[in-house]
Amino acid sequence: MRFWKTWFRRAQDDRQLDAELQFHLDSRAEALRAQGLSPAEARRRARLEFGGVDQISEECRDSRPARWLYDLAQDLHYAWRMMKKSPLVSAAAVLSLALGIGANTAIFSLLDAILLRELPVAKPGELVVLNWQTKQGFAGRRSERFFERYSGSIQPPGMVGNAFSYAAYEALHAQAKDFAPVAAFLEMNRFSVAARGNTHAVSGQLVSGSYFPMLGIEARVGRLLSAEDDRAGAPATAVVSHRFYERALGADPAQIGQVIRVNNVAATVVGVTPPSFYGHEVGAHPDITLTLPHLRELDPEFVKGMGDPFTNRTSWAIQMLARLRDPAMPLAQLETRLSPLLLSTLETVPVKPELIPRLRLEPAARGISGLRRGINVTFGVLLGSTMLVLLIASANVANLLLARAMGRRREIAVRLSMGASRSRLWRQISSEFLLLAVLGATASLLIAYLAPAWLVTLLPSRGEEELTLPLRFDWRLLLSTAGFALGITFLFGAIPAWRATRLNVTGALKENSGSLGADAGRGRLGKLLIVGQVALSLLLLAAAGMFVRTLDNLHAVDLGFVRDRIVLFTLNAAQVGYGAQQRPAFYERTARELERIAGVESVSASLIRPLMGGGYWDDVSSPKFETKGRKTIGVGVHMGLPGFASTLGVKVLAGRDLDERDGAKSPKVMVVNETFAREAYGGRNPVGESVMLGDPKAVSYQIVGLVRDGRYSRLHEKTATVYVAAVQQETMPEQMTFAVRTRTSPAQLLPLVRAAVARVEPNIPLVQLRTLDDQVDEFLRPERLLAILGGTFALLALALSAVGIFGVMAYQAGRRRQEIGVRLALGAGRGRILSMVLRESVVTVLCGILLGLPLALLLPKLVDNLLYGLKASDPRAFLAAALVLLATALAAAWIPAWRAARLDPVAALREE
Amino acid sequence: MNEKKSDLLQGTLDMLILKTVALGPIHGYGISLRIQQISQEVLQVQQGSLYPALHRLEHRGWLTAEWGESENGRMAKFYQLTAAGRQQLVAEAENWQRLSQAVTLIMALEGGTK
């Protein structure tokens, strides 16, 4: 309070201070006059006795609490006047800082949303996620396993898993008094939800009745799920996300209480979660939530495949979150106390103590996220790049201010000799940087406001939907922006201040503007900054080069099939009620219906969607394999309708593709690709051979065809692949990805495809309906993200460095006008002057390149798994980066060099 | 540049100012005169110390100031003790008592002087 009062009243305070001191002087003079002195003499004596009025009033000002702020305001005011003197240069400085800071804040905003932000629930600090851990992994013996079927993640060290049996949840829920309470959940990738006449494919989850009470959130509309909904035999009730409420239910409160169909099961919508709530996992955003007991109706296939988790203690699929009753209690202590509860629910307790699972609790204030694991390296690279850009921009501004401060060296020397403190001058000079940084930071907010939403679209999407991140433009962003601005001020604002206040006072006062060599120090420092900029730019350019080439290489990969005339989409027949017996006919009918569309060349389907990073992996074995010792080969399996390879455009090299002859009753056959033939048979034609497929239950197949390699799971690698007919398998897949090859560009066929499927089954959603080209683009998003942003940052760095080089060279040439004039007068040719200035710039840049090169050579090792098709020793990226930098340096130095060479020696020498 | 006074001296000046102001509202010039008079010309307050000290005490909330007419008809800044200033004065006076007694005791020892 007082602080601000003083601050705003400082002008008035100054007047009052003057008046107060004047009163003293006048009173004393009056007293002296009364003693008989003449008025003039009295005034003189009073002043003499009083001492230095200015000094005293300065000391009085020093005692004000807001003194430093007052000084700062004065400094900033002065800095503002300096800035206005050269508006263009200042604007360039502000712009480059704005870009540098804005890029950092934008990346930080994403990081914040993914890594740092706490869940929008009550007291997130009390939440923990439950895992189990063993000291060792299973060695393979089944008897040691405490689960038969498992759906979740298991990671080293030993094993750390996140899925439990339902029995474990029940035990913890009933008996763990340290939890208030514990909640169970099961993520469901796809629900097909029919509401108000439309069917939507959405992500959802099944939770225990304790889930919402544990999170402590309130319904936006209606109510959330509770223990009542979790009873055995309770009617199906669903809570939807606010997003779904708006999109699918028309944000109509009357929809609460209505019945929707979830995977063809009737469920009553009871409420809507708040708009800020995105579940417990960043990036996931489940749109619909039901209670766990309905798993049996909602996903009978899951229950069939996994075993009924509610009755079977060896079926582990349930994940758990809990709220701690006492957040201060050490987690290790809780783990020890609660582990016996987990142990009591095991079907069989392993004999080896290293294999006995123990409870492991981890803080979950920020939720749990699979996203985090995947993009850490990418984000590390991006954040590193933006930091480098900011450093380069800051070095430019430091260089600019250095030139300005050195232009004022006489003034500074005078002030130092008059007794100004170095720290005061230091503050004044660095406040110029502060002003530019603050202006830059303010301008950068525009970038920080707009860029993150755009960046999200570059991030890998989540299945059908774009990633939804809880991006917010809030105080955290403002704080980080301010942090960046202050950080660079401390680091770089100090450089000109340090240099300018370090000058030799007598030397600076004596020197005249034309003396040679006086600026050597300033020149060195300025060039040193350039060297640093060039080194960092080299890093960014080399990295961008590698990322762009990686993307190029991946785009150029021969998929082994046509990519521009194929439409893909996934249908899950099981979800809409087709049993294993009905599914073959359903898929068959769908394929026939699709073939009737004009412009469709051929239709087929496979369990696996190619090039999505997924796969169905199995083993093929034969005693006749021509491999050294190895009689088993791991393969990716395409299990589907006949002709999948041909539909994709994979060439048949020998034998035939699967076709109508390969029915359920006919002999089991497979088609293999070249990689398989090479791995198993040393490349000879394998048609006619017999092999066993499957582990551990192997079934005999005959190879009837050899096809070209087509990429299977990822673009990055060739996979030994086999094609088998789904009807010849034990169970028909629940879902199939259809491939439709068209004669023309497929984009306009998309609505016809939709209609054709609807004619067979109106309730089934088409998941990820898109062309193969789009899918490849989709798959390459991480690479594209790096190439686009890496390229942007590299260009930015290049432009900033060019500005820096131009500035320093122009300054140098300007300071050396007289020297150059002398040289010209003595007969030096203009070409010589030109090359002299250019040489200086080239040497500086070469120093930077030499400094940056060893760092850049470390890059490929650092980001190895982000690259494709590049050899670590490949010098091209570095060479190109170095050449680009050199060319830029020459171009940037050209104008000052040209101007120096055209100098009129007479005019230059006359200046003084 | 500006030499810092020792804590003892500065503290003493603060105490003297507080004491002088405690007698009634008074302006800076008056304070310097009064200290000089009461101390029988022993203590002479430098203006270079007096005014910064007055401002410091004001900012600490021990003094408040108001502009008013002085005895010679001009406007002057009159200082006045606040409640906090009064407490501070009591504390400093007690402290000073103890200190001067202690010094007196030591100096009262026989021998050494002369």
Side-chain angles (χ1 to χ4, degrees), chain A residues 2 16 20 24 30 419, chain B residues 47 51 55 59 67 74 79:
Chain A
R2 227 172 52 224
Q16 293 196 350
E20 185 181 12
H24 187 115
E30 237 166 76
Chain B
Q47 334 308 343
Y51 283 98
H55 282 250
H59 287 305
W67 287 80
R74 295 166 186 273
Y79 290 91

Side-chain angles (χ1 to χ4, degrees), chain A residues 248-270:
Chain A
L249 301 183
D252 176 9
Q255 291 294 314
I256 307 303
Q258 299 294 311
V259 173
I260 56 173
R261 298 195 80 79
V262 184
N263 286 4
N264 232 3
V265 173
T268 310
V269 179
V270 294

Side-chain angles (χ1 to χ4, degrees), chain A residues 2 6 13 16-17 19-21 23-24 26-31 49-51 55-56 59-65 418-420, chain B residues 1-2 5 27-30 32-33 46-48 50-52 54-56 58-61 67 70-72 74-77 79:
Chain A
R2 227 172 52 224
T6 333
D13 282 354
Q16 293 196 350
L17 179 60
E20 185 181 12
L21 299 183
F23 169 76
H24 187 115
D26 291 349
S27 301
R28 180 64 188 149
E30 237 166 76
E49 281 175 19
F50 193 82
Q55 212 169 350
I56 290 174
E59 266 185 67
C60 289
R61 277 191 216 106
D62 272 342
S63 74
R64 289 179 195 166
M418 300 283 283
Chain B
M1 286 244 318
N2 49 56
K5 274 110 199 146
H27 47 69
Y29 180 63
S32 75
L33 282 184
Q46 295 297 316
Q47 334 308 343
L50 174 66
Y51 283 98
L54 277 171
H55 282 250
R56 196 172 52 245
E58 189 186 350
H59 287 305
R60 279 202 194 156
W67 287 80
S70 76
E71 48 286 1
N72 58 13
R74 295 166 186 273
M75 291 306 282
K77 193 178 178 186
Y79 290 91

Side-chain angles (χ1 to χ4, degrees), chain A residues 594-601 742-744 749 752:
Chain A
L594 287 163
E595 276 167 359
R596 283 171 46 202
I597 301 173
V600 166
E601 212 165 80
T742 63
R743 288 194 190 86
T744 52
L749 288 186
L752 297 178

